[in-house]
């Protein structure tokens, strides 16, 4: 269903929105992120407004035990992902407005998406962040390290040795907690 909603949203976001709104089933909420990510790439402001409406509706209609805090976080992540696909700078600006742990999570996510396109732009992005958020953003790149060789153009960027050497260009206090997973991938690839 997730794939169907993603495809539907890509061609008819309003139709997908009507479907989701007309079926008030808690089980459908898990597909909201697929919908929001696609819709935010077309109409970020409308998608953001819809998110706010859904969060408010969930808070009003669910039982107190329902995990309402996960919904806003997941929807915001999906929204930033969609916004990033259409406007990198807008996603970066939005990420800069978020503070605390949530800001760290979004900076990490944006760094990951940006790294695939340009490690140098990612470096600039990370260095533009306040110093207390840089390590979290840098850590967002480490999951890309992949010991498997796919034989495509992204192999260089995903290779653990490339990512490790790229991370080492930052001060040690920024990478000392996050480079371990990259080194582990590298070790499995080439001891």
């Amino acid at each position: 269903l997730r794939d169907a909603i993603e495809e539907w949203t890509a061609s008819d976001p309003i139709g997908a929105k009507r479907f989701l709104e007309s079926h008030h089933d808690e089980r459908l909420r898990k597909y909201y992120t697929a919908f929001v990510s696609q819709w935010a790439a077309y109409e970020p402001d409308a998608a953001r407004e819809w998110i706010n409406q859904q969060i408010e509706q969930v808070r009003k209609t669910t039982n107190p035990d329902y995990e309402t805090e996960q919904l806003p976080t997941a929807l915001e992540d999906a929204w930033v992902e969609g916004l990033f696909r259409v406007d990198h700078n807008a996603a970066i600006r939005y990420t800069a407005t978020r503070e605390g742990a949530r800001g760290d999570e979004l900076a990490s996510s944006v760094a990951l998406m940006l790294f695939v396109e340009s490690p140098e732009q990612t470096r600039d992005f990370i260095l533009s962040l306040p110093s207390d958020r840089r390590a979290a953003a840098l850590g967002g790149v480490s999951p890309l390290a992949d010991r498997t060789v796919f034989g495509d153009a992204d192999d260089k960027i995903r290779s653990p040795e490339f990512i490790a050497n790229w991370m080492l260009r930052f001060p040690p206090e920024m990478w000392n907690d996050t480079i371990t997973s990259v080194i582990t991938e590298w070790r499995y690839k080439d001891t």
Side-chain angles (χ1 to χ4, degrees):
L1 187 57
R2 178 178 307 282
D3 292 342
I5 288 176
E6 283 179 358
E7 290 177 24
W8 188 2
T9 306
S11 62
D12 180 17
I14 302 305
K17 175 178 160 265
R18 281 191 210 122
F19 171 79
L20 290 172
E21 289 175 342
S22 66
H23 294 84
H24 297 290
D25 187 334
E26 278 187 29
R27 293 173 294 179
L28 280 179
R29 286 196 190 110
K30 65 183 170 187
Y31 303 110
Y32 282 9
T33 56
F35 166 69
V36 166
S37 177
Q38 285 290 76
W39 192 19
Y42 294 100
E43 298 179 282
D45 293 337
R48 185 69 186 165
E49 180 58 32
W50 187 83
I51 289 170
N52 292 337
Q53 291 169 359
Q54 295 310 306
I55 291 169
E56 189 57 35
Q57 181 181 353
V58 167
R59 285 190 176 130
K60 287 180 183 176
T61 61
T62 59
N63 65 48
D65 298 331
Y66 183 75
E67 298 173 8
T68 56
E69 291 308 311
Q70 289 182 354
L71 182 66
T73 300
L75 290 177
E76 184 179 39
D77 290 346
W79 182 78
V80 169
E81 179 184 320
L83 181 62
F84 182 85
R85 285 198 308 268
V86 70
D87 187 348
H88 295 3
N89 291 329
I92 289 169
R93 282 191 306 274
Y94 177 79
T95 299
T97 68
R98 302 293 278 144
E99 295 180 356
R102 193 68 197 121
D104 289 351
E105 292 168 7
L106 289 173
S108 175
S109 178
V110 167
L112 176 89
M113 292 184 287
L114 189 57
F115 188 84
V116 173
E117 294 186 18
S118 171
E120 288 310 310
Q121 285 182 358
T122 307
R123 180 176 169 74
D124 294 342
F125 164 66
I126 291 170
L127 293 175
S128 74
L129 294 169
S131 59
D132 61 333
R133 295 181 63 198
R134 291 177 183 169
L138 182 63
V141 174
S142 59
L144 282 174
D146 191 345
R147 66 186 104 163
T148 309
V149 177
F150 296 98
D152 60 14
D154 287 340
D155 264 353
K156 177 185 174 195
I157 289 177
R158 286 193 312 253
S159 75
E161 55 267 44
F162 181 85
I163 294 174
N165 286 319
W166 180 83
M167 291 176 93
L168 290 172
R169 295 172 50 200
F170 291 91
E173 61 272 7
M174 289 177 61
W175 52 257
N176 62 1
D177 292 334
T178 57
I179 203 166
T180 305
S181 63
V182 177
I183 299 300
T184 300
E185 285 295 307
W186 193 357
R187 187 182 71 212
Y188 284 116
K189 181 178 179 188
D190 183 359
T191 302

